[in-house]
Amino acid sequence: MTMLRFGLSQSHIRRGLLSSASSRSPRLLNSTRLAPSLSYQSIAGMKVLAVLYSGGEAAQQEPRLLGTTENQLGIREWLEKKGHEFIVTDDKEGPNSVFQKNIVDAEVLITTPFHPGYLTRDLIDKAKNLKICITAGVGSDHIDLNAAVEKGIEVLEVSGSNVVSVAEHVIMSILLLVRNFVPAHEMIERGDWQVSQIARAAYDLEGKVVGTIGAGRIGYRVLQRLVPFNCKELLYYDYAALPEEAAKAVNARRIEDLKEFVSKCDVVTVNCPLHEGTRGLVNEELLKHFKKGAWLVNTARGAICDKDAVAAALKSGQLFGYSGDVWNVQPAPKDHPWRTMKNPLGGGNGMVPHYSGTTLDAQARYAAGTKSILENYLENKPQEPQNIIVGKKGYETKAYGQR
């Protein structure tokens, strides 16, 4: 297969330069609340549109849930004082959604991987005023980057804001599967007690071969956290080798062929970004090369794994367990096969909503990062290079191991 540099698409090799933001003439709007989609607008200068997830009662009780429509990344008052219009919504689907109605004249779009507003080429063509898109978190696969490049729209993320959060979730997910925790807990909830039914599918992580697809900021942290478990071997698959000292520090070995890589692993964890080279990477053909009964964890992006192929592999026993928090469509439909798929021999399904990178600690980091990106944009200051995905002149070169 053609190997792509994880953290870079093939076109992520051109360097763009930032240019100054456009001038703005503030105007005043009455403050309005748009029901029922938890959408708001306020004083206007430039229009800033944010698509976030609704926090409901939890967000009202916990103000540190900054990535919600209720708490609005903590930047409403700051933006209003500067005379800008700020619209926040969770309503993002269809032409009549708050997102699609307001994207036509928004200058800034803020969205999140956890409830993404999908900015397609068609919407970019309609967004005549759009100058900058900011991911409150990490990732840009919800944006048509090629279309953004053509229109000169900057795309930025809060790089590194949730890498620790996700790496910890990966370790938890691996342990949930290997120790057969989910079926054990479900047994207790049912009021049953049959140790043998759980122990028959429970193992130690020690002595297993664990490999990561992608050894970037998250993948490498996963390797670091696996070291104390005394695994038989730690492997990684990536286009470029880790620096020698970094690989030696975690005693990880690189496998350059993906099929060979998965064939050696008891546990495979996916830690690479979604782009044209990784969409559907884990498919029916690749799954045939997995060890029979391997465990698979995906906290990167759902579309990296073929949903039907994974469900079939779990049912057949080719996979013993699958866990993660990312889905090919978010929110996932109620009939999504990953909600209920099982291994008949007792292997686990550890799927949860997409929350690994939106812990309270991560939200504090990506909210602060979003504000910093906005400040730089408003004041015509250079952005932090590691945050830039698309600059004014095209794709920016990104540091090794962005994901």
Side-chain angles (χ1 to χ4, degrees):
M1 63 173 287
T2 301
M3 296 179 66
L4 295 179
R5 171 107 158 126
F6 292 127
L8 302 172
S9 69
Q10 286 179 314
S11 50
H12 280 180
I13 57 175
R14 292 172 291 169
R15 176 168 295 278
L17 299 175
L18 290 173
S19 64
S20 61
S22 59
S23 59
R24 304 169 184 92
S25 177
R27 59 189 177 86
L28 187 65
L29 287 183
N30 293 327
S31 179
T32 307
R33 178 165 179 167
L34 303 178
S37 61
L38 287 176
S39 306
Y40 313 81
Q41 68 181 29
S42 58
I43 298 174
M46 67 174 181
K47 177 185 277 190
V48 180
L49 172 62
V51 180
L52 305 173
Y53 61 86
S54 174
E57 184 178 351
Q60 297 171 16
Q61 296 172 348
E62 178 51 82
R64 291 176 296 175
L65 279 167
L66 293 169
T68 61
T69 53
E70 291 81 5
N71 296 322
Q72 304 170 21
L73 298 169
I75 60 175
R76 170 167 295 283
E77 182 179 357
W78 172 71
L79 279 172
E80 287 180 346
K81 285 183 177 179
K82 291 182 175 294
H84 303 300
E85 181 181 5
F86 189 36
I87 297 177
V88 179
T89 186
D90 65 346
D91 179 24
K92 64 188 182 75
E93 303 297 341
N96 294 319
S97 64
V98 175
F99 167 50
Q100 293 199 21
K101 284 182 176 179
N102 284 277
I103 195 65
V104 296
D105 61 348
E107 182 170 334
V108 178
L109 172 65
I110 301 170
T111 187
T112 169
F114 316 104
H115 187 75
Y118 293 100
L119 191 63
T120 62
R121 176 176 291 274
D122 180 59
L123 289 179
I124 287 176
D125 286 341
K126 296 175 181 177
K128 303 303 182 184
N129 295 338
L130 191 60
K131 301 294 190 304
I132 184 171
C133 300
I134 304 169
T135 298
V138 176
S140 59
D141 48 278
H142 52 283
I143 298 171
D144 188 321
L145 295 180
N146 290 330
V149 169
E150 292 170 14
K151 296 290 186 178
I153 297 169
E154 298 173 71
V155 181
L156 293 98
E157 67 179 12
V158 187
S159 184
S161 59
N162 54 19
V163 293
V164 169
S165 309
V166 177
E168 289 184 359
H169 195 100
V170 172
I171 300 301
M172 177 187 73
S173 298
I174 291 173
L175 289 171
L176 286 175
L177 293 181
V178 173
R179 304 295 302 197
N180 205 25
F181 176 87
V182 174
H185 182 68
E186 291 173 343
M187 175 182 285
I188 292 300
E189 286 187 320
R190 292 193 305 269
D192 296 337
W193 187 286
Q194 187 63 48
V195 173
S196 60
Q197 286 296 104
I198 303 303
R200 66 184 290 206
Y203 296 84
D204 296 336
L205 184 56
E206 183 174 84
K208 302 298 184 292
V209 178
V210 184
T212 173
I213 299 178
R217 293 184 178 183
I218 293 174
Y220 188 75
R221 282 169 172 79
V222 169
L223 292 172
Q224 287 178 314
R225 285 155 176 77
L226 286 168
V227 170
F229 287 94
N230 296 318
C231 297
K232 181 178 180 180
E233 190 171 23
L234 298 179
L235 305 177
Y236 72 97
Y237 171 83
D238 206 323
Y239 177 78
L242 285 167
E244 185 177 351
E245 289 187 5
K248 186 177 180 180
V250 294
N251 196 24
R253 182 165 66 95
R254 179 186 175 213
I255 304 293
E256 297 185 46
D257 180 82
L258 183 57
K259 291 178 180 179
E260 179 187 356
F261 166 81
V262 299
S263 72
K264 294 179 178 295
C265 295
D266 299 301
V267 181
V268 175
T269 169
V270 181
N271 299 292
C272 60
L274 175 64
H275 51 69
E276 60 266 28
T278 60
R279 186 178 297 276
L281 184 69
V282 181
N283 53 30
E284 182 181 5
E285 173 60 25
L286 185 64
L287 285 164
K288 293 176 182 177
H289 295 270
F290 275 59
K291 277 187 179 181
K292 179 78 171 180
W295 296 279
L296 177 59
V297 173
N298 179 13
T299 57
R301 288 294 183 266
I304 294 172
C305 296
D306 182 284
K307 66 179 178 64
D308 296 321
V310 166
L314 196 61
K315 184 177 180 180
S316 71
Q318 180 64 14
L319 287 179
F320 203 64
Y322 183 85
S323 185
D325 69 325
V326 288
W327 307 71
N328 62 314
V329 178
Q330 295 184 177
K334 291 184 178 180
D335 61 351
H336 196 292
W338 289 0
R339 287 182 180 266
T340 56
M341 62 184 181
K342 300 282 186 183
N343 181 312
L345 298 179
N349 177 343
M351 289 303 296
V352 294
H354 190 181
Y355 82 98
S356 64
T358 189
T359 61
L360 293 180
D361 302 290
Q363 288 189 50
R365 290 189 292 267
Y366 68 67
T370 299
K371 183 178 179 181
S372 176
I373 291 170
L374 276 172
E375 285 178 325
N376 290 337
Y377 176 70
L378 291 171
E379 297 172 12
N380 300 327
K381 293 181 178 179
Q383 299 287 355
E384 295 293 327
Q386 68 270 19
N387 290 338
I388 306 170
I389 298 169
V390 175
K392 277 291 185 179
K393 294 186 178 180
Y395 287 103
E396 292 276 347
T397 301
K398 303 196 72 177
Y400 172 76
Q402 186 62 32
R403 171 105 191 135

